Amino acid sequence: MKWKKRIWIVVLFLPVVLAGAWGLYEIFGMCANHIATKKQSNRLRTNLEREISDIEIVSIESQTGNASGTGNHVDCVSAVLFSTEMQEAEIEDCMSKYYVFDGWDCYIRETEDGYYMISVSTSAPFADNIEGH
């Protein structure tokens, strides 16, 4: 009789244990995705400062989540607003050794205020995380 009781206890608590494990995996994935976005933003800032001598960074923004709104996936998006005397084509040339400018995942634009914004978007390490749904 004891073995039947133990089997029922395992059967009843197994869904709770599995749901808890899944939840912990999703939380771990979210943390890893946010760390990857922070690293990407720091790398972007470092690369800009290395290549552009007169750069003045105005702001650094980052976002982790479904940036495009299409599908269930997680993106790491980093954007830096900065000023420099260089032209857009010159900036793109000197940054092209680090990034491939395709107009969607990586681009440089001049703002109305005369600043430049560079944006880089990559897939997150845990791209199928609940954060992208």
Side-chain angles (χ1 to χ4, degrees):
M1 190 66 171
K2 278 189 172 186
W3 60 274
K4 285 184 181 181
K5 193 175 192 180
R6 288 181 184 162
I7 289 175
W8 278 110
I9 289 173
V10 168
V11 168
L12 290 175
F13 284 108
L14 187 62
V16 173
V17 171
L18 292 176
W22 177 80
L24 289 174
Y25 175 75
E26 291 294 325
I27 291 170
F28 174 79
M30 287 172 56
C31 293
N33 290 343
H34 284 272
I35 290 169
T37 303
K38 185 173 176 80
K39 283 183 178 182
Q40 176 177 286
S41 297
N42 289 337
R43 192 175 322 114
L44 178 58
R45 186 197 75 227
T46 302
N47 292 339
L48 284 166
E49 290 173 341
R50 181 180 299 130
E51 296 299 323
I52 303 173
S53 59
D54 67 337
I55 192 167
E56 186 176 319
I57 294 179
V58 176
S59 69
I60 300 173
E61 304 286 330
S62 61
Q63 175 188 357
T64 305
N66 189 340
S68 67
T70 57
N72 297 330
H73 65 280
V74 181
D75 298 312
C76 299
V77 181
S78 303
V80 177
L81 187 67
F82 63 96
S83 65
T84 182
E85 293 298 318
M86 295 174 76
Q87 297 299 314
E88 189 173 329
E90 295 173 303
I91 298 168
E92 194 170 308
D93 284 343
C94 68
M95 295 302 290
S96 63
K97 61 181 161 184
Y98 303 107
Y99 306 103
V100 176
F101 293 94
D102 60 4
W104 179 256
D105 289 329
C106 184
Y107 60 87
I108 297 175
R109 294 212 174 105
E110 188 172 3
T111 65
E112 294 175 0
D113 300 334
Y115 296 114
Y116 291 102
M117 183 188 72
I118 184 170
S119 178
V120 176
S121 177
T122 59
S123 182
F126 289 83
D128 194 28
N129 190 268
I130 195 165
E131 209 169 16
H133 295 270

